[in-house]
Amino acid sequence: MIQFFGIPVDTLTTVLLVITAVIVAGVLMLALSNVLFFKIGVRNIFRRRTQMALITFALMLSTMLLSCILAVGDVMTATVQSVAVYNWGNIDELIEGGRGPLGTYPEQIYYRLVEQSRDASTITSVGAALQEDNLLVADQTSRQVRSTVTALAVLPDSERGFGGMQDVSTKQYLSIASLQPDQVYLNQTIAQLLNAKPGDVLYLYSPRWPGRRYTMRVAAIIDNGGLVGDNPYIVSQLQTFQGIEKVAGQINRVFIANRGGGGVNGVDLSDQVTDQLHQWLPRHRHIHVIQVKAQGVQASLKAQDIFSRIFSLFSLFALAIGLLLIFLIFVLLAAERRGEMGMARAIGMQRYHLVLMYLFEGSVYDLFASLIGLLFGLGISVLLVNFLEPILARFNFPLKFTLQPHSLIVAYCLGVIFTFCSVALSCWLVSRMTVVEAMRDLPEPNRSMRLFGGLRRKLNNVFAILMGSALVAYWALPIDVLARLGLPHFRAGIEVFFVAGMMMVLGAAWVLISNAGLFVSPLLALSARLPGLFYTLAKLASVYPLHRRFRTGLNLVMFSLVVFAMTVMSVITNAMQNTYVDINTQTGGYDIQATPYFKSLPDLHASLAEHGIDPNAFSAIGMRSTTVVGVIQLSAPSPRWYVYPVQIINGGFLQGYGLHLVGKASGFDSDSSIWQALQSHPDYALIDSSALSYSQGATDKSAIYDPTVPQGSRIPPGFDPNVTFAMSGVSPGEKVFPAVPVWVADLQGRKAIKLTIIGVVDNSDSAHFGLYIPHSRYSSAALGAGGDSVTAATLGAGGDLTTNADQSYYFKVAPGQDKRALALQLGSAFLDYGLETTVLEDVIWQKRGPRIFLSDVLLGVVGMTLLLGVAALAVTGTRAVIERRQQIGMLRALGCSRRLIQSAFLLESFLVGLVGSILGMVLGLILARNIFAVNFFEQYQTGLTFSIPWQQLALIVCVSVLASLLGAVLPAWQAGRVTPIEALRYS
Amino acid sequence: MNGNEGPDASHQKNMARFCSFLFLTLCLGACSLWPGGQNISGQWHVQQAPKARITYVAIGASDTYGTGTNDPDEQNWPVDMTGMLGSGSRLVNLGIPGIEVHDALNVELPVAIDAHPDLVTIWLAVDDLISNVPISQYSQDMDLLLSRLQAAAPHALILVANVPNLVLLPRFQATDTHSLQAGISSYNTVIASIMERHHVVLVDLYQQSQVLANHPEYISSDGFHLNARGYAQLAMIFYLTLQKHRL
């Protein structure tokens, strides 16, 4: 991790180390100068072994949680950074610029750099190439087509310093020099896409050579990496493309590899290398250095923005649970020792001595349990990484478990420091006792209470209700509502939600505990009407919580916090899983996309059979054409014409395949009703979710301040934001909205048509921009072809837009059919049309693999927190029974049966667990709802939508309550078996 | 263990009621924060345009769009004119750069009618003139446009602008000014006769063209369109004409 709660890890580590060292040194010095009290304190550890085991276990859990969280954070950061730079292979810096359409410059510059860098300790290799982008490659042998391929014509021997080029089948290293002028290597990515093999014949096309094509033969398939990353690349001799482009002696890329050995290792040297290169490069050639790896690392920080923020929130909750557990354990321990402390004070010990004894005992637990917890935490993290490895394998990404030493130190030190503080605080609280009352284990008398009696108590209760409710109400309101009401609110990052959560839990627990009598009275009243011992049981179960409100309150907060954190985490991870991991939702049900590059396809159903493909192999086929239109919304505040891409759809698209709806016009109660309406009413249309966003000068509308939110990604590619249509009156994330009439005019056409927008299409992947119009409407001459008086360029949309419809076909494969085989068949059948076929699932894995991985990491964190949280609750339940053996003896002496006592303990645990769980769930849902209500995720265009995973929540509540019951069962059973005399003697 | 009776019990009951009420209020408050469910009533709601005292529709080409300024959205003469019309006025700017009357008939007119205008300005002549649209064709299209507009929006006040003296603009100074002048005269004659026939108000920009010669600072860097200051002056011309003819 680079930062931890906004503080650089380096700084934090130093500070925490210093504090820990001071604590350890202080305790050591105190132990040396108070050997007797040290011995007495440490003796307690061995005297009460059950207690020791529980305390150690609790401390272990806390440190385990901390170290797990930090280790997972390291894995996340390492993954995202590595993914971001993986595509650059071993290249750290790139020199480009030059002149002409290819940006070329003389080869001599490269040779000069080689000479000058020979003695540079920061540079290990320099390479040169001529790169040409955006080629269309048709494999005549496999009969497949692929667009946007990059050709890299490499200067022979340049490849050696960058890891070489390894044949994927023979694993032998190949050289550029051995390539013939008509031979190329293919990297693994393009080879897979083309289904190519060595010996295949390729045709190369480029918009730069209209009417020409070049024939090449595949010499070998090489590994991704080295000079080529995982984008589709063909590699040739430099002279081959110098000849094609007629730029003899020219190159347009010089590659630099820094010392460090690939990956992100050389990034630290980037600035130094860049300065050096700038001194060596000729200034008049307009060439410059790009720190590709360093920029990749920077981009990765943005790429993991939303995940790191969500992870921060989860970490804060996990940290709070861990630290509260430590505090709770020591408060209970101190409370349990109250009688013993009273005795010690009675025989002449000072309060200071009591604190010292307790501190020594706590420190021993602390130093050892934290260490064991740390190791367990690392173990769990390793398991998590192993569990997630298959996901990484799906997008060909190698990952190793990486852990920064900083994280270990931070986890350990945080555990030690907080335990120390908890021990000191709880001991100080308990040591402020009246000796006689402490020996009799009675509550401390409240003198002010005596003076004013019931009035004071009532006032306290009312005050607690008012303040607690106000606390809950304030933090439960979404931040934008607070702003609208004119109430002060915090402007901060995602941390504000953590604060909100904590405040709500504490406020609600305050109200409940201060007025526990009122909340328990209905239960007592109900049980009084039941036959048998129900009333006695209920009374017994409620006596302790009413009597020891602080301890019960802490238990309640613990339960609420665990369930609360789990609820928030579940809602967020559920949204992420739905959005990123559910491939079917993202592809909209289609399996294959096909785009003809040479000419439009004929009638598909007829021609499929002609080409030997069974049309029944597809359960749906849709067509989508893209063009640009002018749009005006008369209901907007200042209507005027804007431009926007339009997707003309038919076939499967009108049956609901291919598009995921995130909003519907009021009156449509289901997605299917939208699709039916589109089929029967050609005047209806859909629009993508980006058109609802904050464009046209609007600024960040979220109430959550976040300066690093990426901007400008909501505009269709190539469009000028100033003239791009944005729909007014419907907010991002709004699920139901009034239908929006718009007028649309073809930029070449002669007639405007009125459409009514009835649905919003999810465009969180920025691949679904557009106004979606049924093909029947488009082809009804309303938006027919016409003159050229109005063009996209005239409205400033940019010269690279085309007004010719750009067609794509989408196929949903019938059950039992192989989508990859069918994609190859389609490509082969329509090779003459230049049909490029893509299996959508593969593309989604390629594009969203890191997001899917991170979603699953967060899901893993949730599972891990649940397990540890549940263990914490079980420990809490056990402690609550163990400390009351003396009371049990008293009850037994008064005639209560074993069974009654056991039942009372279980009922008490159940009640505290149930109330805490319900409270946590309700508050968690309110907070999760607020996070979505203020469009926090929309800032990042995540496409996440709020939905409640009821099944998961039910599981969380059940597991939590069960854990508390299980934790209480064994000690309750043991307690019931204790004889009265034995129990009364216990201390 | 029989529970408390007497004042304490009564107090607890009252407090219990109070707490129940408070809890209910909190629950209701929380529920009010909940997202609305899907409308299953089948009721159809369509977004409506905001209410306005005057709905003003500007039909036109690049000048109406705001070409020539740094911020065409805000710096165009219809926006300036809307400001002069006072509060409660709402502008629907239908200007499309390069559009001719024939296209405007099918692209701008239906939208203008749908906007239910109270005031309409039409300035569509310059692009037709530059593109050498035959005068008969222009006349026919403009006549049709006004007929349809008047039929669909009978209560709307309509102002139509003619062609200013383009010869004064830097962009046309190197061209055949005589033939351009002749073309402008023909267009303006036709426009005047159509206006008379339809009883709509003519905004005589040609008469005001000398301002361009006196104020070269009103012309944008392209030598053809006005800049923000020029558009402000143009809006004033439209507004004064409107004031003069306002019933």
Side-chain angles (χ1 to χ4, degrees):
Chain A
M1 289 187 95
I2 297 163
Q3 286 196 334
F4 195 61
F5 310 137
I7 306 166
V9 166
D10 286 346
T11 316
L12 189 70
T13 309
T14 314
V15 172
L16 290 178
L17 263 178
V18 169
I19 296 173
T20 309
V22 168
I23 288 173
V24 173
V27 171
L28 268 176
M29 282 170 63
L30 284 170
L32 288 173
S33 54
N34 298 277
V35 179
L36 176 67
F37 296 113
F38 178 77
K39 282 182 179 170
I40 298 173
V42 173
R43 193 173 59 101
N44 276 327
I45 298 171
F46 304 102
R47 202 157 59 93
R48 297 179 170 116
R49 295 198 176 171
T50 320
Q51 273 188 0
M52 183 195 76
L54 279 172
I55 293 166
T56 311
F57 185 60
L59 286 175
M60 267 173 53
L61 280 180
S62 304
T63 323
M64 203 189 298
L65 205 55
L66 287 175
S67 54
C68 270
I69 289 286
L70 290 170
V72 171
D74 285 344
V75 172
M76 276 177 69
T77 307
T79 307
V80 175
Q81 281 191 357
S82 307
V83 166
V85 301
Y86 185 53
N87 192 39
W88 286 106
N90 289 347
I91 302 163
D92 287 292
E93 288 87 22
L94 189 65
I95 298 171
E96 61 170 34
R99 296 183 187 279
L102 284 175
T104 52
Y105 48 89
E107 280 179 39
Q108 282 73 22
I109 291 176
Y110 159 73
Y111 291 118
R112 212 174 302 143
L113 280 176
V114 171
E115 280 303 312
Q116 285 166 319
S117 64
R118 210 177 288 280
D119 300 326
S121 60
T122 49
I123 297 174
T124 55
S125 297
V126 184
L130 181 67
Q131 182 172 314
E132 179 145 4
D133 299 319
N134 209 19
L135 297 186
L136 184 78
V137 179
D139 187 325
Q140 199 57 23
T141 315
S142 71
R143 298 182 64 79
Q144 299 299 314
V145 171
R146 190 57 44 187
S147 63
T148 56
V149 178
T150 303
L152 194 69
V154 183
L155 188 76
D157 294 340
S158 278
E159 75 279 10
R160 287 190 181 163
F162 294 86
M165 293 185 169
Q166 197 177 18
D167 191 312
V168 289
S169 50
T170 63
K171 300 293 173 195
Q172 285 183 340
Y173 281 92
L174 305 170
S175 71
I176 294 290
S178 63
L179 279 173
Q180 297 299 313
D182 65 339
Q183 282 187 323
V184 290
Y185 294 136
L186 303 187
N187 76 338
Q188 265 181 304
T189 307
I190 182 68
Q192 277 173 2
L193 293 170
L194 284 173
N195 197 28
K197 291 179 180 55
D200 280 9
V201 175
L202 305 179
Y203 292 144
L204 308 188
Y205 302 85
S206 167
R208 294 182 35 76
W209 335 308
R212 278 190 287 158
R213 74 177 184 196
Y214 291 90
T215 308
M216 299 281 171
R217 192 170 290 278
V218 179
I221 313 296
I222 56 169
D223 247 333
N224 291 348
L227 278 177
V228 293
D230 61 348
N231 284 338
Y233 267 96
I234 62 170
V235 182
S236 76
Q237 277 246 29
L238 177 61
Q239 284 180 340
T240 305
F241 271 80
Q242 281 181 336
I244 290 173
E245 288 291 347
K246 299 182 177 58
V247 285
Q250 299 284 306
I251 52 173
N252 63 0
R253 294 283 187 281
V254 168
F255 307 113
I256 308 288
N258 295 355
R259 179 166 49 82
V264 292
N265 300 336
V267 167
D268 291 343
L269 294 171
S270 241
D271 283 339
Q272 203 180 328
V273 171
T274 305
D275 289 344
Q276 189 69 69
L277 290 171
H278 276 141
Q279 288 172 13
W280 294 337
L281 288 172
R283 292 184 191 281
H284 61 282
R285 292 284 179 184
H286 302 287
I287 49 181
H288 52 267
V289 182
I290 303 174
Q291 299 178 351
V292 287
K293 280 267 175 73
Q295 286 180 359
V297 170
Q298 284 297 319
S300 74
L301 294 176
K302 279 188 180 172
Q304 71 165 23
D305 251 356
I306 188 60
F307 290 96
S308 61
R309 275 161 179 72
I310 292 171
F311 182 71
S312 292
L313 184 67
F314 288 9
S315 309
L316 283 167
F317 283 129
L319 185 75
I321 292 169
L323 299 185
L324 184 66
L325 178 65
I326 296 175
F327 184 66
L328 183 66
I329 287 294
F330 281 100
V331 163
L332 288 178
L333 185 71
E336 186 193 331
R337 298 275 174 82
R338 197 162 156 265
E340 188 180 302
M341 288 179 179
M343 193 76 78
R345 292 273 282 126
I347 59 169
M349 271 195 192
Q350 298 298 309
R351 185 182 295 166
Y352 167 71
H353 296 141
L354 296 180
V355 175
L356 274 183
M357 274 164 48
Y358 197 62
L359 207 58
F360 292 141
E361 183 183 349
S363 301
V364 174
Y365 289 134
D366 185 9
L367 292 171
F368 292 103
S370 294
L371 194 62
I372 301 167
L374 192 73
L375 298 175
F376 271 105
L378 293 181
I380 291 179
S381 307
V382 173
L383 286 178
L384 188 68
V385 170
N386 286 335
F387 176 69
L388 294 168
E389 247 175 358
I391 300 165
L392 290 161
R394 283 298 301 265
F395 57 103
N396 293 325
F397 186 76
L399 179 76
K400 286 176 188 164
F401 178 75
T402 46
L403 184 70
Q404 301 294 327
H406 288 306
S407 303
L408 287 174
I409 298 168
V410 168
Y412 184 73
C413 291
L414 268 180
V416 169
I417 295 167
F418 202 82
T419 306
F420 180 82
C421 294
S422 298
V423 171
L425 180 69
S426 53
C427 181
W428 177 76
L429 283 174
V430 174
S431 67
R432 295 170 71 231
M433 66 179 83
T434 310
V435 175
V436 178
E437 304 289 359
M439 285 172 67
R440 293 166 65 197
D441 198 21
L442 294 173
E444 285 298 307
N446 190 333
R447 283 172 181 78
S448 58
M449 279 290 185
R450 277 183 199 158
L451 288 176
F452 300 103
L455 180 65
R456 180 67 183 248
R457 192 165 52 240
K458 281 176 199 168
L459 282 175
N460 274 347
N461 290 347
V462 172
F463 180 74
I465 289 173
L466 289 177
M467 289 306 292
S469 306
L471 211 56
V472 174
Y474 178 83
W475 288 103
L477 282 173
I479 294 168
D480 54 342
V481 174
L482 289 177
R484 278 206 297 274
L485 293 173
L487 293 168
H489 62 281
F490 293 92
R491 277 180 70 81
I494 200 163
E495 297 83 6
V496 82
F497 293 117
F498 168 72
V499 177
M502 291 299 293
M503 290 297 156
M504 288 197 308
V505 169
L506 292 176
W510 189 10
V511 172
L512 282 177
I513 288 299
S514 302
N515 299 278
L518 292 175
F519 295 108
V520 168
S521 53
L523 175 73
L524 292 177
L526 180 71
S527 56
R529 286 178 171 76
L530 295 173
L533 289 171
F534 282 106
Y535 180 77
T536 314
L537 184 66
K539 193 79 183 171
L540 268 178
S542 58
V543 162
Y544 181 83
L546 294 177
H547 190 61
R548 301 287 189 193
R549 294 195 182 191
F550 180 64
R551 295 180 211 177
T552 312
L554 276 180
N555 270 338
L556 191 73
V557 169
M558 185 74 198
F559 260 96
S560 302
L561 195 62
V562 170
V563 178
F564 174 87
M566 297 312 305
T567 304
V568 176
M569 288 174 169
S570 294
V571 172
I572 294 173
T573 46
N574 180 58
M576 287 199 303
Q577 291 283 314
N578 289 344
T579 306
Y580 300 132
V581 184
D582 186 349
I583 301 281
N584 206 38
T585 303
Q586 294 173 65
T587 61
Y590 284 122
D591 297 304
I592 301 165
Q593 182 196 39
T595 308
Y597 281 92
F598 299 156
K599 52 186 173 181
S600 293
L601 296 187
D603 176 41
L604 255 185
H605 279 280
S607 57
L608 279 174
E610 280 172 26
H611 286 91
I613 300 173
D614 179 10
N616 294 324
F618 305 104
S619 47
I621 300 173
M623 193 196 82
R624 190 178 75 170
S625 308
T626 306
T627 185
V628 181
V629 292
V631 188
I632 186 168
Q633 180 188 358
L634 287 181
S635 52
S638 306
R640 58 191 276 122
W641 288 100
Y642 293 101
V643 288
Y644 209 65
V646 67
Q647 311 284 351
I648 303 134
I649 51 172
N650 77 351
F653 280 107
L654 298 178
Q655 295 159 13
Y657 293 113
L659 303 171
H660 172 54
L661 294 177
V662 291
K664 290 186 276 290
S666 56
F668 293 95
D669 52 7
S670 65
D671 288 4
S672 61
S673 62
I674 296 273
W675 304 121
Q676 279 170 11
L678 277 174
Q679 287 171 40
S680 53
H681 294 83
D683 290 338
Y684 288 163
L686 310 172
I687 198 159
D688 76 276
S689 52
S690 301
L692 316 181
S693 51
Y694 331 99
S695 52
Q696 290 183 7
T699 51
D700 173 22
K701 286 184 181 172
S702 171
I704 302 300
Y705 171 69
D706 201 331
T708 59
V709 170
Q711 298 290 329
S713 57
R714 299 179 179 95
I715 303 296
F719 277 63
D720 176 353
N722 294 313
V723 295
T724 304
F725 177 68
M727 197 163 80
S728 299
V730 184
S731 309
E734 206 171 325
K735 288 186 174 172
V736 180
F737 61 91
V740 181
V742 292
W743 283 87
V744 173
D746 189 310
L747 293 173
Q748 292 182 322
R750 291 286 182 271
K751 185 161 181 152
I753 55 164
K754 191 175 183 179
L755 298 169
T756 304
I757 294 170
I758 59 167
V760 176
V761 172
D762 179 17
N763 188 33
S764 54
D765 58 357
S766 298
H768 291 86
F769 285 107
L771 186 65
Y772 289 79
I773 306 176
H775 187 262
S776 55
R777 186 65 174 117
Y778 185 82
S779 58
S780 67
L783 287 171
D788 56 359
S789 60
V790 188
T791 64
T794 61
L795 283 178
D800 56 340
L801 288 174
T802 170
T803 49
N804 296 324
D806 179 12
Q807 283 187 334
S808 283
Y809 296 84
Y810 291 82
F811 299 84
K812 178 172 177 56
V813 169
Q817 299 287 338
D818 181 349
K819 52 190 149 196
R820 287 179 185 81
L822 278 169
L824 291 174
Q825 275 187 52
L826 279 170
S828 171
F830 296 98
L831 179 68
D832 295 342
Y833 297 82
L835 190 74
E836 178 189 59
T837 56
T838 307
V839 177
L840 291 170
E841 185 184 333
D842 296 344
V843 176
I844 284 173
W845 269 105
Q846 203 64 36
K847 277 178 70 177
R848 288 200 159 180
R851 281 195 165 194
I852 294 171
F853 168 73
L854 293 175
S855 295
D856 283 342
V857 167
L858 289 179
L859 190 69
V861 170
V862 173
M864 192 175 69
T865 314
L866 179 66
L867 282 178
L868 299 183
V870 162
L873 295 180
V875 171
T876 310
T878 309
R879 293 283 308 136
V881 178
I882 282 188
E883 66 163 306
R884 282 147 56 188
R885 285 172 60 120
Q886 202 169 11
Q887 291 169 23
I888 294 163
M890 191 71 77
L891 287 170
R892 293 277 287 122
L894 286 171
C896 291
S897 68
R898 284 176 183 168
R899 204 164 169 185
L900 182 68
I901 290 171
Q902 286 164 354
S903 306
F905 273 110
L906 288 178
L907 181 63
E908 183 192 316
S909 287
F910 174 75
L911 286 178
V912 174
L914 189 71
V915 172
S917 300
I918 290 173
L919 190 70
M921 192 180 74
V922 171
L923 296 178
L925 284 176
I926 291 173
L927 185 81
R929 158 78 180 122
N930 286 352
I931 295 176
F932 284 87
V934 295
N935 290 326
F936 181 79
F937 295 119
E938 283 304 315
Q939 297 175 91
Y940 304 89
Q941 275 228 302
T942 54
L944 301 183
T945 51
F946 178 73
S947 66
I948 302 174
W950 287 113
Q951 284 181 336
Q952 288 178 31
L953 294 187
L955 181 75
I956 289 166
V957 171
C958 287
V959 168
S960 304
V961 175
L962 203 66
S964 77
L965 277 178
L966 282 176
V969 161
L970 184 66
W973 178 75
Q974 283 177 335
R977 290 171 59 83
V978 173
T979 60
I981 295 170
E982 194 186 333
L984 283 168
R985 264 201 333 225
Y986 174 84
S987 63
Chain B
M1 293 191 181
N2 285 332
N4 297 323
E5 297 295 338
D8 267 3
S10 160
H11 159 74
Q12 283 205 352
K13 275 179 193 167
N14 287 338
M15 282 303 282
R17 281 189 201 121
F18 176 70
C19 286
S20 307
F21 172 74
L22 190 77
F23 184 67
L24 197 66
T25 311
L26 281 174
C27 287
L28 286 173
C31 289
S32 71
L33 298 172
W34 223 248
Q38 285 174 353
N39 188 329
I40 52 165
S41 65
Q43 207 173 355
W44 175 252
H45 297 292
V46 177
Q47 200 180 63
Q48 301 295 327
K51 295 234 182 294
R53 186 173 57 84
I54 298 172
T55 300
Y56 162 38
V57 173
I59 294 176
S62 51
D63 311 85
T64 308
Y65 180 80
T67 307
T69 65
N70 295 329
D71 180 10
D73 265 12
E74 295 299 323
Q75 295 174 337
N76 57 67
W77 67 265
V79 165
D80 295 331
M81 171 126 166
T82 310
M84 294 170 191
L85 291 172
S87 61
S89 309
R90 183 167 177 271
L91 168 67
V92 177
N93 188 339
L94 298 180
I96 298 176
I99 200 164
E100 294 163 12
V101 180
H102 185 72
D103 293 335
L105 260 175
N106 294 321
V107 175
E108 295 191 17
L109 182 63
V111 188
I113 292 169
D114 191 37
H116 305 293
D118 302 303
L119 172 66
V120 182
T121 58
I122 303 170
W123 188 17
L124 286 166
V126 178
D127 286 290
D128 291 72
L129 176 70
I130 294 168
S131 304
N132 294 319
V133 174
I135 193 77
S136 57
Q137 176 71 52
Y138 175 80
S139 170
Q140 191 186 332
D141 289 334
M142 183 56 97
D143 192 47
L144 195 56
L145 188 145
L146 284 171
S147 302
R148 287 184 187 169
L149 183 60
Q150 286 180 319
H155 303 297
L157 182 64
I158 302 170
L159 279 75
V160 180
N162 61 7
V163 186
N165 192 356
L166 300 178
V167 175
L168 300 174
L169 293 171
R171 178 165 157 186
F172 297 102
Q173 278 169 3
T175 58
D176 179 2
T177 50
H178 286 292
S179 68
L180 182 61
Q181 193 69 59
I184 293 169
S185 296
S186 309
Y187 262 74
N188 284 347
T189 308
V190 165
I191 291 169
S193 73
I194 297 170
M195 299 309 102
E196 205 173 320
R197 195 158 58 242
H198 287 275
H199 305 291
V200 296
V201 179
L202 174 70
V203 182
D204 196 347
L205 295 181
Y206 188 83
Q207 286 297 324
Q208 305 278 344
S209 299
Q210 197 51 41
V211 178
L212 291 175
N214 298 339
H215 294 278
E217 74 274 15
Y218 289 167
I219 299 164
S220 72
S221 55
D222 67 5
F224 177 45
H225 295 98
L226 298 181
N227 56 24
R229 289 180 66 190
Y231 283 137
Q233 290 300 314
L234 185 63
M236 184 55 78
I237 294 170
F238 271 84
Y239 183 68
L240 290 176
T241 310
L242 175 68
Q243 291 289 77
K244 201 168 144 187
H245 292 86
R246 192 109 195 202
L247 297 174

